[in-house]
Amino acid sequence: MDVDPRQYENIKINDNDTHNIILSYLIHGCYKDTVESLITSTGLKVSPPQLENMEKRKRILHSALQGNALDAIALTEQISPDLLENNKDLFFDLLSLHFVELICSKKCTEALEFAQAKLTPFGKVSKYVQKLEDFMALLAYEEPEKSPMFHLLSFEYRQHVADSLNRAILAHGKLPSYSELERLIQQATVVRQCLSEELGKDVQSAFSLKEFVKS
């Protein structure tokens, strides 16, 4: 059955719903200044505990993104005392950020000592062995950014760890680990993919969110 995209133009969206979806995304991402501007312009309400939680998470994420992983760990333990103790994968990733920062600062001796004290114990678990080998291999290169493991030094890797930490802190506080906007996009993507599979040969290519946004 052919669907005319123009029919969606007649569906009215409540401005409050749109504003709340955007607000959820901004709070999730700790965009404090933008949150305050949106609240001022729309009259939306955000509770003091929400703002306080957002400010604490912002400090933690900023530390992780700046390579100050030990500060991020300390701050996380303050607001979520048992989070990292019960999430070894995340704890390993944060420790690895500090190791990488030492490598980038050319503090190889300190990096090796840190790895032996904090990272090596993870080697007793098989799933960490390959990761450990990749990180330790960075020590063999005078220019680690040109090594096959260069992606471990990238901002994208730090961003990935910071995002995982943010979701874990939210879930630990009994809050949604994904914003309403992200859930809507996930749902829309699944629906479009299912429709594409049902239409089968009549569809030239599988649904791509990236291409849909461009259109």
Side-chain angles (χ1 to χ4, degrees):
M1 180 177 66
D2 293 333
V3 179
D4 186 351
R6 290 175 296 180
Q7 68 177 293
Y8 299 116
E9 296 175 3
N10 299 320
I11 297 178
K12 294 184 178 179
I13 305 297
N14 186 290
D15 285 346
N16 255 0
D17 291 339
T18 302
H19 292 154
N20 276 307
I21 289 171
I22 295 172
L23 182 62
S24 163
Y25 173 77
L26 295 174
I27 291 175
H28 175 92
C30 303
Y31 301 109
K32 183 182 178 183
D33 292 341
T34 312
V35 166
E36 292 174 345
S37 296
L38 183 63
I39 291 172
T40 300
S41 62
T42 62
L44 294 173
K45 303 294 183 183
V46 178
S47 68
Q50 278 182 298
L51 291 174
E52 182 181 358
N53 177 275
M54 179 177 61
E55 182 60 32
K56 289 179 178 178
R57 285 187 293 112
K58 181 179 179 179
R59 289 174 58 201
I60 293 171
L61 299 183
H62 178 75
S63 294
L65 290 172
Q66 293 300 312
N68 300 322
L70 297 186
D71 287 346
I73 291 172
L75 290 169
T76 299
E77 290 175 341
Q78 287 179 19
I79 68 171
S80 305
D82 58 345
L83 171 58
L84 297 178
E85 182 181 345
N86 296 323
N87 192 331
K88 297 300 183 183
D89 290 353
L90 184 55
F91 189 36
F92 176 86
D93 287 342
L94 285 167
L95 292 174
S96 73
L97 286 187
H98 181 66
F99 175 79
V100 165
E101 186 62 24
L102 293 173
I103 292 290
C104 292
S105 301
K106 307 300 182 184
K107 298 178 180 178
C108 294
T109 300
E110 190 175 339
L112 180 58
E113 292 173 350
F114 178 80
Q116 290 174 334
K118 299 296 183 179
L119 293 178
T120 301
F122 285 89
K124 298 176 182 178
V125 182
S126 58
K127 67 177 179 178
Y128 296 116
V129 172
Q130 184 59 58
K131 287 184 176 181
L132 277 171
E133 290 178 353
D134 289 344
F135 281 111
M136 296 305 294
L138 291 170
L139 290 167
Y141 293 86
E142 290 187 10
E143 297 180 274
E145 64 276 5
K146 296 181 180 179
S147 73
M149 290 70 66
F150 70 93
H151 62 281
L152 297 174
L153 310 176
S154 68
F155 180 80
E156 287 73 18
Y157 178 69
R158 274 185 282 169
Q159 182 71 63
H160 167 72
V161 175
D163 287 344
S164 297
L165 177 58
N166 189 35
R167 297 189 196 285
I169 292 172
L170 287 166
H172 187 269
K174 310 300 182 184
L175 296 170
S177 55
Y178 288 88
S179 67
E180 293 174 10
L181 179 60
E182 289 173 298
R183 293 202 301 272
L184 282 171
I185 291 174
Q186 289 169 344
Q187 183 178 16
T189 300
V190 170
V191 169
R192 290 296 296 265
Q193 287 174 338
C194 289
L195 287 174
S196 294
E197 291 173 4
E198 286 185 11
L199 292 172
K201 63 181 180 180
D202 296 327
V203 179
Q204 293 183 347
S205 59
F207 173 71
S208 166
L209 177 63
K210 183 178 180 179
E211 294 302 319
F212 176 75
V213 171
K214 289 181 180 179
S215 62

